[in-house]
Amino acid sequence: MTDWPEARPDDNRGGRYGRGSASAQPEGARVMRQVRRGPAAPPGQGAYGGVPQQPSYVDGHDSGYNTGQVYGGGSGGDGGHGPQRPAPDWRRRIKWTAITLVTVLVVTTVGTYFWADSKLNRDVDLSKVIERPEKGEGTNYLIVGSDSREGMTAEDKKKLHTGSADGKRTDSMMILHTGDNAPTLISLPRDSNVEIPSFVGSESGKTYPGTGRQVKLNAAYAEDGPELLVRTVEFNTGLHIDHYVEIGFGGFASIVDAVGGVEMDIPQDIKDTKSGADFKKGKQTLNGEEALAFVRTRYALAGSDLDRTKNQQKFLSALASQVATPGTILNPFKLYPTMGAGLDSLIVDEDMGLFDLADMFWSMKGVSGGDGTSMNMPIAGSTGGNLLWDKAKVKQLVNELNNDEKVTVKGN
């Protein structure tokens, strides 16, 4: 039972692997077709790609044949770590990243433009204004601050000290001229004595002939709105108005709050119970409520309405400078609330575009921060509480503006 089985007829062949043969090659190399003889494949390129190279036999002994390697389990040479992955194509990645960023930027910019453009309230039709002066060089904006309380709650009116009067009147009026020279901002005191000319009613379409009636300038707005105000300003100055921009109490305060407040250097202590102003002299940042009180104050000022218009000019220039800073423009968390608050509250003419609005803001910034000029309309005196314009100076001022020349006239 313990005897080995008899040898097969071919057991007498010499050099058999496993029978004490001294042959340097195993038997499988002579009888298995799938094993090829020849020079060893380069590292990483075995006969079957991932099959490791078989060990050699020296003096009839294997030199590590049973190494624990599993055929087919590797992924090539290089120590069994497989072929190296190609290096990343950074040029291609950078290219597509840049294309993606530019596409997103373009889409966002275009989307923002149409969003902002749709929010403009183009409610003023300047085509209804008759007998208009010839257009000069540059662009003239009539900027109006009204006492409109539209959209304000009772709590808002109390907080902002606006009262509850019905309708709306002009609280401030300015002409901003822009062109090749430095911008000029001219305040038109609301108590200015002007003549109401012939006009066509903005709602009725009826023609009202001029009678030489003398009124305060703000009465023109109260009588027939923006169109009659433009007609009256053009008739009494001879200056063509290209665009009309109006903002009410609530909208003004919202813009200031959206931009994070506006820093002002207040030249004196101010306390006015009617406007709600209560300020100490010096630099301070005004929020919306405080800013509205500041620009409305006149009873606490020695020059009354003339001093108030100067404060309004200073504040609007500071506001424009604040809006035009990189901290606002490049910060979407500030830019979009500011744009939303401003565009929702502005009333403009039908031909006003976003680029016109941008030109207006940048020019207002240049009034205080550059070579611009700010002034009141030249005053010669008063009659019955109405301020009389200096006609000779006004004529010279208008000629300089129409020719887009540097303004040399001095106002009050």
Side-chain angles (χ1 to χ4, degrees):
M1 297 292 295
T2 59
D3 293 336
W4 291 98
E6 293 183 2
R8 289 176 294 180
D10 60 352
D11 280 350
N12 292 325
R13 286 179 295 175
R16 293 291 302 275
Y17 173 66
R19 302 284 292 178
S21 171
S23 173
Q25 292 186 348
E27 178 183 10
R30 289 178 280 112
V31 298
M32 298 173 64
R33 293 184 177 180
Q34 65 271 29
V35 179
R36 300 181 182 179
R37 290 188 176 89
Q45 299 181 12
Y48 285 86
V51 180
Q53 187 176 0
Q54 294 203 16
S56 61
Y57 292 82
V58 180
D59 296 331
H61 300 284
D62 69 69
S63 58
Y65 183 82
N66 189 14
T67 60
Q69 297 184 23
V70 179
Y71 295 118
S75 57
D78 292 336
H81 296 292
Q84 293 184 352
R85 297 174 60 184
D89 189 345
W90 290 110
R91 294 179 62 184
R92 179 183 177 86
R93 291 187 181 184
I94 293 172
K95 171 185 174 182
W96 283 106
T97 299
I99 291 174
T100 301
L101 290 176
V102 170
T103 301
V104 171
L105 180 62
V106 170
V107 171
T108 301
T109 302
V110 172
T112 298
Y113 176 86
F114 284 104
W115 166 78
D117 188 72
S118 68
K119 294 179 77 67
L120 277 177
N121 301 305
R122 297 183 173 92
D123 297 336
V124 179
D125 186 0
L126 294 183
S127 68
K128 295 179 180 179
V129 181
I130 61 174
E131 301 176 16
R132 309 194 67 185
E134 184 178 352
K135 178 176 171 53
E137 299 293 327
T139 303
N140 299 312
Y141 300 88
L142 180 59
I143 304 170
V144 175
S146 77
D147 65 0
S148 171
R149 297 154 177 86
E150 184 178 352
M152 295 174 63
T153 65
E155 183 179 352
D156 292 335
K157 294 174 184 178
K158 181 179 179 181
K159 178 182 177 182
L160 298 176
H161 301 272
T162 64
S164 300
D166 294 329
K168 59 181 181 179
R169 290 150 292 277
T170 53
D171 204 58
S172 61
M173 291 159 284
M174 303 178 189
I175 294 173
L176 174 67
H177 175 83
T178 67
D180 293 334
N181 287 304
T184 302
L185 184 63
I186 308 161
S187 285
L188 310 175
R190 70 179 195 171
D191 292 340
S192 298
N193 190 81
V194 295
E195 178 183 340
I196 296 292
S198 58
F199 68 96
V200 174
S202 59
E203 297 294 334
S204 66
K206 180 180 177 181
T207 299
Y208 296 88
T211 61
R213 180 164 48 107
Q214 304 288 311
V215 299
K216 292 182 179 181
L217 180 58
N218 64 342
Y221 182 95
E223 186 172 332
D224 199 56
E227 288 84 1
L228 179 55
L229 178 60
V230 171
R231 167 74 174 130
T232 302
V233 169
E234 289 187 340
F235 177 82
N236 285 270
T237 62
L239 188 67
H240 181 93
I241 300 299
D242 298 287
H243 292 294
Y244 177 92
V245 182
E246 177 187 329
I247 187 169
F249 283 163
F252 178 83
S254 295
I255 294 175
V256 175
D257 285 335
V259 81
V262 176
E263 185 180 75
M264 288 294 297
D265 189 358
I266 299 179
Q268 66 184 71
D269 292 349
I270 299 176
K271 189 172 181 63
D272 185 353
T273 56
K274 291 191 175 182
S275 69
D278 188 4
F279 305 112
K280 297 297 182 181
K281 178 181 178 180
K283 286 187 178 182
Q284 50 204 286
T285 299
L286 307 184
N287 61 25
E289 177 185 349
E290 294 165 338
L292 185 59
F294 177 73
V295 299
R296 294 183 62 216
T297 295
R298 62 171 175 163
Y299 294 105
L301 304 176
S304 187
D305 200 37
L306 291 178
D307 282 350
R308 180 174 74 158
T309 56
K310 293 176 183 178
N311 283 342
Q312 290 170 347
Q313 292 174 348
K314 292 177 182 177
F315 186 85
L316 289 178
S317 295
L319 175 60
S321 297
Q322 180 71 22
V323 171
T325 59
T328 298
I329 295 175
L330 300 179
N331 183 352
F333 297 103
K334 262 192 176 183
L335 176 62
Y336 285 98
T338 302
M339 291 179 63
L343 297 173
D344 276 340
S345 56
L346 291 179
I347 297 175
V348 300
D349 64 273
E350 292 182 343
D351 295 327
M352 186 78 161
L354 289 178
F355 290 108
D356 299 312
L357 198 60
D359 173 64
M360 185 189 78
F361 267 96
W362 280 103
S363 297
M364 289 182 65
K365 177 182 177 181
V367 169
S368 61
D371 297 328
T373 302
S374 61
M375 59 185 289
N376 280 320
M377 187 65 81
I379 303 297
S382 64
T383 177
N386 293 4
L387 298 174
L388 298 173
W389 292 351
D390 187 321
K391 293 184 178 180
K393 288 186 176 180
V394 170
K395 182 177 180 180
Q396 180 184 349
L397 173 63
V398 171
N399 283 337
E400 290 175 342
L401 294 177
N402 277 331
N403 293 322
D404 196 26
E405 298 172 349
K406 178 68 176 177
V407 171
T408 60
V409 177
K410 303 299 182 181
N412 297 77

